[in-house]
Amino acid sequence: MAELLSPRWGYASITDKISDIVLRRPVHWIWGLGFAVAGVLSVLFFGLMGWLFLAGVGIWGVDIP
């Protein structure tokens, strides 16, 4: 049976090579800005959903009995 890897490469060295691409890449400031905007929008969404559950659908103008 033929060898899948050459003698100088091992499974650990290939894993290290692939993970270094992801783990050592610098994070750009735009990613941080996008993460902050997504966080603010998530907090706003959950706050508004809480208000909807407390006040009811009358906040949408649906107040016909």
Side-chain angles (χ1 to χ4, degrees):
M1 181 166 177
E3 288 289 322
L4 293 176
L5 301 174
S6 67
R8 67 185 185 112
W9 291 101
Y11 291 113
S13 63
I14 292 174
T15 301
D16 290 340
K17 189 126 178 110
I18 293 171
S19 63
D20 280 346
I21 296 170
V22 177
L23 297 176
R24 296 196 181 193
R25 182 176 39 184
V27 177
H28 203 267
W29 66 271
I30 294 176
W31 187 91
L33 178 67
F35 190 77
V37 168
V40 168
L41 290 175
S42 295
V43 169
L44 181 66
F45 171 74
F46 287 116
L48 290 175
M49 291 309 296
W51 181 35
L52 173 66
F53 290 138
L54 288 175
V57 293
I59 61 175
W60 296 336
V62 182
D63 52 1
I64 301 170

